[in-house]
Amino acid sequence: TRPTAAIIGAGIAGLACARVLDEAGWRVTLFEKSRGPGGRMTSRSLAAATVDIGAQFFSVRHEAFRREAETWLKAGLIAPWPWKLWRVTNDSWHYRHDGRERYAGKPRMSAVTRHLSRGLALEVSCRIVSLARDNGRWTLQDQARQHHGPFDHVVITAPSPQAQGLVAPHDSRLAEACEGVIQRPCWAAWACFDQPLATAPGVSPDWQAVMFSDGPLRFVARNDHKPGREQQGESLTLLARLEWSEAHLEMHETSVANSLLTAFRKTLPDTTALPAITAIGGHRWRYAQPDVFAAGEAINRDYRLSANGLALCGDGWRGPRVEDAWLSGHHLGHALAASD
Ligand code: FAD
């Protein structure tokens, strides 16, 4: 009989793990609390524009991920972006060229995760609240008290504070490991305009993204300058610095968006007026980015496995990037398939 696995979370880590197990002949079911796959690689469709509200791009460093990214590139799911990247230090803009390979989803970040989920069994709007073990197999219970299973294995990709609650009754070693991985919050905001933005002096009008060395912002992306979105109007995603996000965690989303837009406006000459805003909003990511320095023992471990069929993966076990999350799920999938 084919081994069975439940995977909690259909972000890039869960999907990468599911693909490996599916190819190895396992029967895999993904459970996702949101309405669709993607996790922190998600995009929001507004009337005026489609904006990425989580990851804006991803870099490619590891060979296994490079091979995977090449298949996405060939399938038209990603394209190089940004290649016109700037940095703002003390409100002044500088062109930044570091030659690093970066990609964005085409025509939105979630194109990649949507593609990976194709053909897999996926239960959406299904938040798993507890696990039970009976006769050596696992049953999952969701928020509506529905039971799912039994399964031989359960893979949990939820950020560590959430994973901890699920594993604690069953494996104190895994629960303890979760405690060492701190996930820090990040505010993401968006603003759409009725006209293109004016640019700072010396900055090419087709700038795509800008990193910030100081202040409340850490990154601003122009969604309408991303691949496949050239037809949409001017629309910014503004990401706050982690420290600023922590200090303003309970602020209202519209106030957050306005504060971040004001910080961006300050980098333009005083005489520049912003065009009229057609949409503005924000999203608080409570568990946005793992603090790998705090992770101690977890640094450079891709995943955690227990003897009774529980396993943990996701960016928290490896590093703060899409690539880390993918590698973490991919490597766990291979470890599970080899153990069978
Ligand atoms: P997630 O994507 O969080 O997936 C976990 C999934 O589990 C989620 O879909 C969640 O809904 C689901 N879930 C949780 N609990 C349950 C439950 N109980 N039951 C069912 N489902 C559950 N990385 C880069 O490389 N480049 C960037 O530019 C970049 N920018 C970022 C900007 C922001 C604002 C954020 C938040 C992140 C950014 N990252 C970036 C990081 C990157 O997005 C993540 O590292 C990666 O997407 C994490 O993938 P994951 O599968 O580990 O976790």
Side-chain angles (χ1 to χ4, degrees):
T1 57
R2 294 155 69 193
T4 53
I7 300 185
I8 302 176
I12 191 84
L15 291 165
C17 185
R19 291 252 71 111
V20 173
L21 293 176
D22 184 65
E23 273 156 37
W26 288 40
R27 279 196 292 142
V28 180
T29 311
L30 287 143
F31 296 91
E32 170 54 54
K33 69 177 181 184
S34 304
R35 278 176 296 166
R40 279 170 274 162
M41 287 176 80
T42 198
S43 315
R44 191 165 293 197
S45 294
L46 308 167
T50 298
V51 295
D52 298 324
I53 60 169
Q56 300 299 305
F57 63 84
F58 60 83
S59 48
V60 176
R61 298 152 202 247
H62 192 284
E63 201 38 49
F65 188 59
R66 178 175 310 274
R67 284 196 297 273
E68 177 77 3
E70 271 165 15
T71 69
W72 300 345
L73 190 62
K74 280 205 186 101
L77 300 164
I78 59 169
W81 190 93
W83 71 92
K84 288 178 181 166
L85 182 59
W86 292 70
R87 178 175 279 282
V88 167
T89 308
N90 290 328
D91 293 344
S92 107
W93 291 61
H94 307 275
Y95 189 65
R96 185 185 150 102
H97 183 76
D98 58 11
R100 193 178 287 289
E101 206 177 333
R102 298 184 174 95
Y103 296 94
K106 184 182 170 188
R108 51 175 68 188
M109 205 51 167
S110 54
V112 172
T113 43
R114 213 156 272 282
H115 167 80
L116 291 177
S117 72
R118 277 205 191 111
L120 296 173
L122 168 63
E123 299 262 354
V124 294
S125 304
C126 183
R127 185 164 63 86
I128 301 303
V129 296
S130 65
L131 310 176
R133 190 160 163 84
D134 194 24
N135 284 330
R137 303 186 80 200
W138 293 97
T139 306
L140 283 56
Q141 194 187 122
D142 68 21
Q143 81 281 8
R145 293 173 184 266
Q146 297 282 333
H147 289 91
H148 305 269
F151 298 96
D152 303 316
H153 295 264
V154 179
V155 171
I156 304 171
T157 73
S160 50
Q162 295 166 325
Q164 189 177 12
L166 291 171
V167 296
H170 306 286
D171 192 311
S172 56
R173 204 181 52 87
L174 287 188
E176 218 171 278
C178 288
E179 216 156 283
V181 184
I182 292 161
Q183 290 271 0
R184 300 182 66 187
C186 176
W187 269 110
W190 60 85
C192 305
F193 302 94
D194 69 344
Q195 299 281 327
L197 287 167
T199 43
V203 178
S204 59
D206 58 351
W207 68 273
Q208 296 167 327
V210 55
M211 294 172 162
F212 293 78
S213 305
D214 36 50
L217 284 166
R218 75 164 161 161
F219 194 79
V220 170
R222 286 174 109 182
N223 289 288
D224 52 311
H225 284 64
K226 289 182 180 174
R229 274 181 265 185
E230 296 80 5
Q231 300 307 317
Q232 73 181 47
E234 183 81 66
S235 49
L236 300 180
T237 298
L238 306 109
L239 301 184
R241 198 169 294 288
L242 300 183
E243 296 75 12
W244 190 93
S245 302
E246 273 155 0
H248 298 83
L249 203 57
E250 303 306 329
M251 200 169 177
H252 189 272
E253 59 171 67
T254 315
S255 308
V256 168
N258 280 313
S259 300
L260 297 180
L261 194 54
T262 302
F264 176 73
R265 166 73 188 76
K266 266 187 61 198
T267 71
L268 302 176
D270 288 344
T271 50
T272 315
L274 288 181
I277 295 169
T278 56
I280 189 161
H283 180 86
R284 179 180 56 196
W285 293 100
R286 203 175 269 284
Y287 305 116
Q289 186 176 311
D291 196 338
V292 287
F293 303 106
E297 204 205 341
I299 293 176
N300 294 330
R301 298 274 179 90
D302 282 4
Y303 52 81
R304 289 301 175 104
L305 262 173
S306 81
N308 60 8
L310 278 183
L312 303 172
C313 71
D315 63 350
W317 303 101
R318 193 184 160 95
R321 298 186 184 93
V322 166
E323 175 170 27
D324 294 307
W326 184 88
L327 284 166
S328 156
H330 181 78
H331 288 158
L332 173 61
H334 281 292
L336 287 172
S339 72
D340 180 49

